[in-house]
């Protein structure tokens, strides 16, 4: 299995809703990432988990809450989002520091209404 | 600050034309460089990567890139593009542990 699987593929949520994005990989990668990609922009790093511990938080607002239940799973919990948070949320994984490359999932397209 | 820049934001080519997309990085030390492609409505796919060794790197789909340390460049090339190469191309770099930084992307349109 050489894929990163993200669910759901599309999500529409209201500003008072609570939802979660899920990411899964079975490549034995020990680092997992959340990126945010706005339309016609490059992906921007949000969080990095290394060996199931949060290692990088790029000053992301607290309405985004990451969780890494085990080495294969990564969640992003969403609460009280704003319309400007609408974007494509990408999950990625890598062996350790990413020296051997990163594998990206197909993303969750989130719309906040 | 570490950064990756792509100066060609939009490129339009006819089929069979040669392609070169520019990428420059601003890291001072050891750097790992990548080119990703994102086809319309699809996820990022790795085209090629450079870590060390031979500065000419060959990737998938006939793409190659050359790492020129003196110019801080990692340009992407393809001798003859096809309509199916229409996509957005991102250069990315990694120096800090686990911190992959993307350039702003180049949108390539190949006309048949």
């Amino acid at each position: 299995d050489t894929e990163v699987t993200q669910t759901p593929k599309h999500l529409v949520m209201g500003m008072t809703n609570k939802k979660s994005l899920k990411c899964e990989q079975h490549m034995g990668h020990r680092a997992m990432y959340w990126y945010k990609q706005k339309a016609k922009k490059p992906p921007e790093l949000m969080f990095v988990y290394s060996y199931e511990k949060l290692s990088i938080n790029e000053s992301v607002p607290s309405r985004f809450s990451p969780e890494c239940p085990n080495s294969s799973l990564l969640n992003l919990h969403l609460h009280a989002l704003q319309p400007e948070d609408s974007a494509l949320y990408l999950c990625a994984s890598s062996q350790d520091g990413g020296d051997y490359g990163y594998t990206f999932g197909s993303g969750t397209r989130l719309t906040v209404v | 600050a570490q950064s990756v820049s792509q100066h060609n934001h939009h490129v339009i080519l006819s089929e069979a034309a040669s392609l070169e997309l520019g990428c420059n990085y601003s890291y001072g030390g050891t750097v790992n460089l990548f080119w990703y492609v994102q086809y319309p409505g699809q996820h990022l796919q790795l085209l090629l990567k450079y870590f060390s060794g031979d500065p000419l790197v060959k990737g998938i789909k006939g793409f190659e890139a050359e790492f020129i340390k003196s110019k801080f460049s990692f340009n992407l090339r393809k001798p003859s593009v096809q309509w199916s190469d229409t996509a957005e191309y991102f250069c990315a770099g990694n120096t800090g542990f686990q911190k992959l930084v993307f350039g702003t992307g180049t949108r390539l349109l190949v006309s048949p």
Side-chain angles (χ1 to χ4, degrees):
Chain A
D1 187 352
T2 58
E3 290 186 347
V4 173
T5 303
Q6 290 187 245
T7 56
K9 292 197 183 305
H10 300 274
L11 178 63
V12 179
M13 62 184 290
M15 289 188 283
T16 59
N17 291 160
K18 285 185 181 180
K19 297 286 185 183
S20 296
L21 309 184
K22 296 184 185 302
C23 173
E24 190 168 2
Q25 58 88 15
H26 296 287
M27 295 176 280
H29 289 173
R30 302 314 299 265
M32 296 185 75
Y33 310 77
W34 281 114
Y35 280 81
K36 175 181 177 180
Q37 186 178 20
K38 301 282 279 184
K40 300 184 180 180
K41 297 289 187 184
E44 295 180 350
L45 182 64
M46 300 175 72
F47 302 105
V48 180
Y49 271 83
S50 180
Y51 290 86
E52 301 163 47
K53 293 190 189 311
L54 183 64
S55 60
I56 296 177
N57 176 342
E58 290 288 277
S59 303
V60 179
S62 60
R63 57 185 184 269
F64 295 91
S65 175
E67 178 197 19
C68 189
N70 60 57
S71 61
S72 299
L73 294 174
L74 185 66
N75 298 323
L76 186 63
H77 302 298
L78 313 172
H79 173 55
L81 295 193
Q82 303 296 310
E84 58 264 29
D85 296 321
S86 298
L88 181 68
Y89 288 84
L90 296 166
C91 176
S93 70
S94 72
Q95 291 179 6
D96 295 331
D99 287 356
Y100 300 100
Y102 300 71
T103 303
F104 282 84
S106 56
T108 293
R109 189 160 298 281
L110 173 69
T111 303
V112 182
V113 297
Chain B
Q2 303 163 354
S3 69
V4 173
S5 59
Q6 295 176 244
H7 301 297
N8 314 107
H9 298 296
H10 292 90
V11 173
I12 301 174
L13 295 173
S14 300
E15 273 194 318
S18 63
L19 170 72
E20 181 161 3
L21 301 182
C23 173
N24 290 93
Y25 62 93
S26 66
Y27 308 118
T30 303
V31 60
N32 302 322
L33 294 164
F34 308 83
W35 274 98
Y36 283 88
V37 61
Q38 192 170 32
Y39 298 102
Q42 295 192 26
H43 64 281
L44 288 164
Q45 296 178 36
L46 181 66
L47 278 177
L48 47 80
K49 56 193 177 190
Y50 171 80
F51 299 135
S52 63
D54 189 344
L56 186 60
V57 180
K58 294 197 183 296
I60 61 171
K61 303 176 189 283
F63 287 92
E64 66 177 32
E66 185 174 12
F67 173 68
I68 303 179
K69 190 173 181 179
S70 61
K71 295 184 178 179
F72 295 90
S73 69
F74 188 58
N75 293 353
L76 181 71
R77 300 196 293 247
K78 186 172 184 178
S80 176
V81 295
Q82 301 172 319
W83 175 79
S84 57
D85 292 322
T86 292
E88 183 134 26
Y89 293 80
F90 292 100
C91 183
N94 174 6
T95 63
F97 188 73
Q98 300 173 330
K99 200 161 182 177
L100 185 66
V101 176
F102 286 84
T104 51
T106 297
R107 194 169 292 268
L108 172 66
L109 175 63
V110 180
S111 58

